[in-house]
Amino acid sequence: MGEKPPILVTGGAGYIGSHAALALLDAGWPVVVLDDLSSGHRWAVPEGATFVQGDIADAGLVGAMLKEHGIQAILHFAGSILVAESMTEPLLYYRNNTAATRTLLETAMAAGVNRFLFSSTAATYGVPDAVPIREDAPTRPINPYGRSKLMSEHMLADAGMANGLDYVVLRYFNVAGADPAGRSGQTGKVSTHLIKIAAEAATGKRDGVAVYGTDYATPDGSCVRDYIHVSDLADAHVAALEHLLANPGTRVTMNCGYGRGFSVLEVLDAVDEVVGEPLPRRIENRRPGDPDALVADTGLMAATTGWIPKHDHLPTIIAHAIAWERRLVERG
Ligand code: UDP
């Protein structure tokens, strides 16, 4: 085996991107992070990575850095990720997620970089007919966030066929937890995700947790989701990258989850066990746009890349999320 070539990680100062950068470095890949720090943090960029602050849609900057660093593949995480915000600012989402990805792809192809790994989402499925969801299920996103990502998936497929672009699209289910060694974690300005919110409640940042609806068509009436540890998702990217580089002509879209669902109430029960006492819960009305159940069919990812999760254990995900939250409290 020769030396591993440098990889560009866009959005490497963000939650998932920083964990992917850590996983790449841990596996011996040189990493260059490009991030405009609009929502990411400079401290989240791992020490061993080269950091460039800038916009993925700045073709001059990106073209020059691809050449300067001899980049061989791009892991593209940069983008906007808040579903509710996408409902009120759709054009921002089509700019940051769709148009910026188009420019980045064009710049990459012009520089001869034709291997691309794209962060997509289970939101591309919308409300599924059945779970677990296979990758060939209909894609009918119900918000601009999901549509902005799906449009990028279509661009990849078209450029794959027409221009010889090789790519892996990973559709994430519910990402949670933090680096087990405490090197990174979730630090958005606005928290909307259940396990993040529960971790904030566990560390006293909130009074308790709201349960958005107990009248869904699920066993206990609360919504069911497939929660995946962020470090397992990061490892999935390393496995997908290795598959992409070893197999020219790869053009594949794969789910990333564990293939098992937990209800909101089950998650909160697990949080109570980890904390050692019950956190206050309030039953509230449904949040608009939440499907009853989202669970990944994970067969394709496992068969294609051989990826094996290390933290497929809900209490571990929760414990890591809380440990990270405590660090944030200590840091002030
Ligand atoms: N949820 C909840 N209370 C919260 C946050 C989320 O009951 O404070 C529910 C939400 O309605 C959904 C599930 O938890 O059914 C997962 O929501 P999250 O925002 O974490 O992820 P999503 O599935 O929307 O991407």
Side-chain angles (χ1 to χ4, degrees), residues 7 9-10 16-17 19-21 23-24 27 29 73-77 116-120 168-172 175 228-245 254-256 301 305 307:
I7 305 302
V9 177
T10 76
I16 302 175
H19 287 83
L24 286 167
W29 295 87
I74 299 175
L75 270 62
H76 177 35
F77 296 91
F116 206 85
L117 222 143
F118 181 62
S119 291
S120 193
V168 175
V169 169
L170 296 181
R171 289 183 180 150
Y172 311 156
V175 188
I228 174 174
H229 193 295
V230 64
S231 296
D232 276 337
L233 181 63
D235 285 347
H237 286 78
V238 176
L241 173 70
E242 287 169 353
H243 175 79
L244 185 66
L245 296 184
M254 298 186 286
N255 290 333
C256 280
M301 181 67 196
T305 67
W307 167 70

Side-chain angles (χ1 to χ4, degrees), residues 181-228:
R183 296 171 295 176
S184 194
Q186 200 169 357
T187 320
K189 289 185 196 86
V190 204
S191 299
T192 60
H193 292 121
L194 179 63
I195 290 179
K196 173 73 178 172
I197 283 176
E200 290 179 352
T203 52
K205 282 190 196 168
R206 293 177 185 265
D207 298 341
V209 184
V211 177
Y212 296 138
T214 50
D215 56 351
Y216 285 94
T218 59
D220 68 18
S222 64
C223 288
V224 168
R225 295 290 181 272
D226 185 343
Y227 296 90
I228 174 174

Side-chain angles (χ1 to χ4, degrees), residues 3-278:
E3 265 194 25
K4 291 180 172 169
I7 305 302
L8 175 63
V9 177
T10 76
Y15 174 45
I16 302 175
S18 66
H19 287 83
L22 285 168
L24 286 167
L25 290 164
D26 289 348
W29 295 87
V31 171
V32 180
V33 165
L34 173 63
D35 198 301
D36 67 2
L37 300 185
S38 58
S39 57
H41 303 273
R42 179 65 185 87
W43 55 255
V45 178
E47 256 172 42
T50 302
F51 176 62
V52 177
Q53 184 171 355
D55 183 350
I56 56 167
D58 182 342
L61 170 80
V62 176
M65 69 180 286
L66 292 176
K67 290 220 164 71
E68 181 194 338
H69 296 284
I71 297 295
Q72 296 295 309
I74 299 175
L75 270 62
H76 177 35
F77 296 91
S80 298
I81 56 159
L82 302 173
V83 170
E85 185 184 52
S86 82
M87 308 283 279
T88 54
E89 301 286 341
L91 297 183
L92 181 74
Y93 279 68
Y94 292 117
R95 181 177 71 203
N96 289 351
N97 292 352
T98 316
T101 298
R102 195 210 67 81
T103 306
L104 177 65
L105 277 171
E106 193 172 56
T107 311
M109 300 291 284
V113 180
N114 73 333
R115 288 175 294 201
F116 206 85
L117 222 143
F118 181 62
S119 291
S120 193
T121 167
T124 53
Y125 294 115
V127 181
D129 296 329
V131 293
I133 309 170
R134 279 167 45 123
E135 290 83 351
D136 55 6
T139 43
R140 299 176 296 226
I142 56 170
N143 50 57
Y145 168 66
R147 279 190 284 275
S148 71
K149 289 284 186 177
L150 184 60
M151 287 165 78
S152 295
E153 289 193 13
H154 288 311
M155 289 193 293
L156 286 165
D158 290 341
M161 268 189 290
N163 311 120
L165 176 73
D166 288 358
Y167 67 84
V168 175
V169 169
L170 296 181
R171 289 183 180 150
Y172 311 156
F173 281 66
N174 287 61
V175 188
D179 177 50
R183 296 171 295 176
S184 194
Q186 200 169 357
T187 320
K189 289 185 196 86
V190 204
S191 299
T192 60
H193 292 121
L194 179 63
I195 290 179
K196 173 73 178 172
I197 283 176
E200 290 179 352
T203 52
K205 282 190 196 168
R206 293 177 185 265
D207 298 341
V209 184
V211 177
Y212 296 138
T214 50
D215 56 351
Y216 285 94
T218 59
D220 68 18
S222 64
C223 288
V224 168
R225 295 290 181 272
D226 185 343
Y227 296 90
I228 174 174
H229 193 295
V230 64
S231 296
D232 276 337
L233 181 63
D235 285 347
H237 286 78
V238 176
L241 173 70
E242 287 169 353
H243 175 79
L244 185 66
L245 296 184
N247 298 277
T250 293
R251 282 160 211 156
V252 65
T253 299
M254 298 186 286
N255 290 333
C256 280
Y258 292 147
R260 192 153 44 103
F262 290 98
S263 73
V264 172
L265 296 175
E266 285 172 331
V267 170
L268 295 182
D269 286 346
V271 171
D272 290 350
E273 288 229 348
V274 171
V275 174
E277 59 174 349

